[in-house]
Amino acid sequence: MKVNKVVVAKTDLISQYLPGNYKDAFEYAFYSNHKITADDFMIAFWTNSPGWVEKLFALRDWMVKPFGIQTGSGRSRGKLEEAVRTGGSYGFMSVVAKSDTETVISADDKHLKMYFSVKIDDPNDGQKKLTISTIVHFNNWLGYVYFYLIYPFHLLIVPNMVKYSLNKLLGAQQ
């Protein structure tokens, strides 16, 4: 799987949430003869994590709870999947934009608002392009502090979760 850092394309649905205090986008090229939608990947991304990532999220939830920052504890795969597929909301995550190739969610808290996009270009020749984009808006100083404390983990976790989720999706379809 080849990974490239790219800019958020002006034609992507997530671009309507620019400018932001932070933005990134990564493109993953991979081969598969199976149809994978943006919804499929979004669900896999948020419901399948390596054990070490789950432990980091549990630590994060424990650390931020005293500050009133929302946590992801008690997640339900079924409810999240329903929200993504129908364009609804679950917990503090909402689907804010959808097309045939892209799904954008937002996670809204008092300290920041994050937009996360999954876009899959599938020209039916087996080679696919998965673009993961993140845009963050800080609501206050706590958002700034929080984000830059987790920033190194964002750069570590997102690529690993992308690879893990793709392997889960591709393995389940064989």
Side-chain angles (χ1 to χ4, degrees), residues 53-75 92 109 146 150:
V53 171
E54 288 294 330
K55 288 177 182 170
L56 281 176
F57 278 135
L59 177 62
R60 173 240 179 240
D61 289 351
W62 177 78
M63 291 174 65
V64 301
K65 198 169 191 174
F67 299 100
I69 295 173
Q70 296 188 49
T71 66
S73 60
R75 294 180 300 207
F92 60 94
D109 207 342
Y146 169 77
I150 66 158

Side-chain angles (χ1 to χ4, degrees), residues 16-63:
Q16 67 188 301
Y17 303 104
L18 290 170
N21 298 107
Y22 173 83
K23 67 179 181 282
D24 67 22
F26 295 91
E27 187 177 271
Y28 300 80
F30 66 100
Y31 290 91
S32 174
N33 291 321
H34 299 286
K35 177 77 174 156
I36 299 173
T37 68
D39 285 356
D40 295 336
F41 187 84
M42 184 70 78
I43 293 161
F45 185 87
W46 290 106
T47 60
N48 295 303
S49 302
W52 65 271
V53 171
E54 288 294 330
K55 288 177 182 170
L56 281 176
F57 278 135
L59 177 62
R60 173 240 179 240
D61 289 351
W62 177 78
M63 291 174 65

Side-chain angles (χ1 to χ4, degrees), residues 16 27 34 55 76 87 97 111 118 121 145 155 158:
Q16 67 188 301
E27 187 177 271
H34 299 286
K55 288 177 182 170
S76 163
H111 65 296
V118 170
D121 294 316
V145 171
L155 294 177
V158 171

